[in-house]
Amino acid sequence: MNTNFLNTTFMNTVFSLSLKAAAREPFLLFWSITMPIGGTIGLGLLINQPGYSVQITTGMMAMGILFYAFTTTVFSVLAQRKRGVYKLLRVTPMPLWQYILSVSSAWILISLLCGMLVLSVGAIVFGFSLSPLAVVMIGIVCILGACGYVFFSFFISGLCKSESQASITTNLITLPLLLCSSAFYALDGAPRWIQILSYFNPFQWFISGLRSGCSIDASGWLASVGVLLVILIVSLFLAVKSLGFNKI
Amino acid sequence: MHLISAKSLVKKFHQKNVINGIDFEIEQGEILALIGPNGVGKSTTIAMLLGILKPDQGSIIYWRPDYRDYVGAQLQSTPFFEGYTAEENLKLFAALYHTKLTKDQIRVELDNCHLSEAAKTPAVKLSLGQQKRLAIGVTNVHHPELVVLDEPSAGLDPRARHEIRAMIQTMAKNRQTVLFSSHDMDEVEQIADRLIFMNDGRIVDAGKPEELMEKYEVSNLEALYLKLTPSQFRGEY
């Protein structure tokens, strides 16, 4: 046995294999790449209004990341739980947190790449340009949002006993998040209660962060980053709880 | 030398004792079979030995503090990583045990599991027999001192069972210690050095197969199994 390697070497192996496996996921191709790109181009061309191209591009980016980092990973984590992977990890010398960190990093990186792909297509098709600072600000929001969703997916997968339960639960979570947000339409004309609800909608904060990044609105961006950080910490706490002894 | 020494283990689920104070040792180099009907606590015992479950009472003493580096385990389910090929599962499990496999080592490991041609096949798409062989392969990827297999040949056809038995015998030849649970008395008879019979969360008896057969005056292990694990139906033993 080779024990001279730092643990990071093995975390890298887990990371690169997770990346490879995740990239082969057909749900990724459809829900996080094809559909957001199709939606961005289709709706952007259909509703040909000034400023809408950026709105729909960021909305679709956020949706693609939500679908991958949350919905797809709920199913991946559930499948691993059901097959006893997390139980088996208790037998190995690799701490569970190192494994979770490695696979989560891979999923977060894929989310970031998907988001950036949608952004690039939107920028090319609609001809808007972004400064390097804006791209960095958007990237940071993507990473924070994806982290929160991935950690939340560990918690939700722990509540579900089967794929059908996971399907219902993820739909019950994602649909209100999407519909009570300004991902596809402005909320200015929406009923007051929806506008109030949107203040408590983590997905809306994610979209606001992306849009603030596009326009380099530092105060809006910082507010969104702060909320996303709080969501990330809560999600991490819930994820750790769901992976506790005898719960895996 | 004892690799594992379990003392007065008790495990409760929903206030009910499923393991009722069992004591046993695992000796270095032996093939030890844990035998008993479904639901008597074999898998729970294995889960406690592996640290997956905490015993409610009792203690487990391991032969070394860093024992996790030197144990390989296959649980009842075949816990492959979804979306990974057979080859990738081997690499990943090796990484979990802090072992980095070269291409040649992966080829050898796949050969040992008779899975060379299925290297690029997603593990979950392999046949049950292939999955079980891969499960034992990933268990052994870091050449542990102790291999724990929970019903390694359950649900397999005779040829697949034969292949699993051959893999376990190879481990024994390589001076590895093996603990396995089974219902298949033919399998137990062919490979086990020592047996532990469990019933109702207790150890009914333990010893070498020939000694137990002599003690209970039976001619084969199936008869011994029937004698030590009473039927719930009247008129049978």
Side-chain angles (χ1 to χ4, degrees):
Chain A
M1 182 183 308
N2 194 337
T3 53
N4 293 327
F5 286 90
L6 288 172
N7 276 355
T8 49
T9 308
F10 301 104
M11 287 174 72
N12 285 342
T13 307
V14 175
F15 172 79
S16 56
L17 286 170
S18 304
L19 203 62
K20 233 168 129 179
R24 289 195 293 251
E25 179 60 60
F27 285 99
L28 168 77
L29 191 67
F30 181 71
W31 289 107
S32 301
I33 299 175
T34 313
M35 195 181 157
I37 288 176
T40 301
I41 297 171
L43 285 172
L45 293 176
L46 188 72
I47 304 168
N48 192 13
Q49 289 176 5
Y52 187 70
S53 54
V54 173
Q55 299 286 308
I56 193 62
T57 303
T58 48
M60 285 292 174
M61 263 178 88
M63 185 193 75
I65 290 172
L66 174 71
F67 282 160
Y68 182 70
F70 176 65
T71 310
T72 308
T73 55
V74 165
F75 285 94
S76 297
V77 174
L78 179 66
Q80 293 192 350
R81 271 184 203 270
K82 282 177 70 179
R83 294 187 79 87
V85 165
Y86 297 111
K87 270 186 187 163
L88 195 71
L89 280 167
R90 289 225 184 277
V91 184
T92 73
M94 179 175 263
L96 190 58
W97 71 265
Q98 280 185 11
Y99 173 77
I100 302 291
L101 186 67
S102 308
V103 291
S104 300
S105 305
W107 291 336
I108 289 160
L109 180 63
I110 287 186
S111 301
L112 178 67
L113 293 174
C114 290
M116 287 302 170
L117 185 64
V118 177
L119 183 67
S120 306
V121 171
I124 292 165
V125 172
F126 301 113
F128 60 83
S129 60
L130 295 166
S131 68
L133 176 63
V135 174
V136 170
M137 288 167 85
I138 291 168
I140 290 170
V141 172
C142 285
I143 290 169
L144 288 176
C147 275
Y149 294 139
V150 166
F151 293 143
F152 193 54
S153 73
F154 277 98
F155 171 66
I156 294 299
S157 76
L159 302 179
C160 304
K161 300 279 177 277
S162 64
E163 278 77 7
S164 53
Q165 281 184 15
S167 177
I168 292 166
T169 311
T170 52
N171 283 333
L172 281 174
I173 292 168
T174 52
L175 281 176
L177 289 180
L178 284 166
L179 296 175
C180 294
S181 78
S182 62
F184 314 122
Y185 40 75
L187 289 179
D188 302 343
R192 181 79 189 128
W193 64 271
I194 289 189
Q195 292 183 20
I196 293 168
L197 267 183
S198 73
Y199 283 109
F200 301 97
N201 181 354
F203 186 65
Q204 180 58 43
W205 285 100
F206 183 41
I207 294 170
S208 300
L210 294 175
R211 288 176 184 162
S212 303
C214 281
S215 57
I216 317 186
D217 163 16
S219 60
W221 183 81
L222 279 172
S224 295
V225 165
V227 172
L228 291 174
L229 268 173
V230 172
I231 293 166
L232 191 158
I233 291 164
V234 173
S235 303
L236 181 61
F237 173 77
L238 293 173
V240 169
K241 279 279 181 198
S242 75
L243 289 164
F245 230 98
N246 293 350
K247 289 185 182 173
I248 54 172
Chain B
M1 183 180 101
H2 298 331
L3 289 193
I4 291 182
S5 184
K7 305 255 184 234
S8 313
L9 292 185
V10 172
K11 184 69 193 172
K12 293 176 187 174
F13 285 127
H14 308 296
Q15 308 302 321
K16 186 179 177 253
N17 279 19
V18 290
I19 299 294
N20 290 298
I22 59 171
D23 299 82
F24 65 93
E25 283 89 30
I26 302 175
E27 302 288 341
Q28 188 174 34
E30 71 176 348
I31 302 183
L32 175 61
L34 203 54
I35 302 162
N38 286 327
V40 296
K42 300 188 298 293
S43 295
T44 305
T45 303
I46 285 176
M48 286 193 289
L49 293 181
L50 294 172
I52 296 168
L53 290 175
K54 279 182 185 168
D56 292 312
Q57 285 172 41
S59 62
I60 302 169
I61 299 163
Y62 299 93
W63 75 110
R64 55 197 312 161
D66 55 347
Y67 73 94
R68 281 176 203 277
D69 282 319
Y70 301 91
V71 174
Q74 179 244 310
L75 306 177
Q76 255 181 27
S77 59
T78 44
F80 299 122
F81 292 83
E82 201 94 346
Y84 292 65
T85 63
E87 186 183 79
E88 287 168 350
N89 265 284
L90 276 170
K91 266 193 212 173
L92 189 57
F93 273 89
L96 299 179
Y97 286 102
H98 299 173
T99 304
K100 196 169 173 69
L101 296 180
T102 62
K103 279 186 180 174
D104 283 344
Q105 285 171 320
I106 291 170
R107 194 173 40 76
V108 170
E109 294 295 340
L110 285 166
D111 278 346
N112 290 342
C113 316
H114 308 290
L115 287 172
S116 302
E117 287 171 13
K120 306 284 181 199
T121 306
V124 292
K125 289 191 177 167
L126 296 172
S127 71
L128 184 59
Q130 287 176 317
Q131 286 197 16
K132 289 276 186 181
R133 291 206 303 274
L134 181 61
I136 295 177
V138 299
T139 298
N140 204 31
V141 77
H142 56 305
H143 302 292
E145 292 177 11
L146 172 64
V147 179
V148 180
L149 307 169
D150 196 357
E151 297 191 11
S153 58
L156 297 181
D157 61 54
R159 176 170 292 280
R161 285 206 302 271
H162 173 79
E163 287 165 351
I164 297 291
R165 279 200 290 269
M167 289 178 82
I168 295 173
Q169 282 167 327
T170 306
M171 288 176 190
K173 276 182 199 156
N174 293 335
R175 299 178 162 273
Q176 290 172 292
T177 305
V178 181
L179 166 68
F180 74 103
S181 65
S182 182
H183 299 289
D184 183 346
M185 289 302 108
D186 279 346
E187 176 178 86
V188 170
E189 194 151 13
Q190 285 183 45
I191 60 177
D193 300 322
R194 198 162 65 90
L195 321 175
I196 294 177
F197 276 91
M198 287 187 74
N199 201 28
D200 200 21
R202 291 184 172 85
I203 292 179
V204 183
D205 212 338
K208 293 187 173 173
E210 58 276 17
E211 288 171 1
L212 289 173
M213 285 193 284
E214 195 181 324
K215 181 177 173 184
Y216 290 95
E217 297 174 340
V218 291
S219 57
N220 58 58
L221 286 186
E222 193 165 324
L224 184 64
Y225 180 92
L226 293 173
K227 203 155 197 172
L228 292 178
T229 56
S231 167
Q232 293 170 353
F233 300 104
R234 284 182 192 177
E236 291 181 26
Y237 65 98

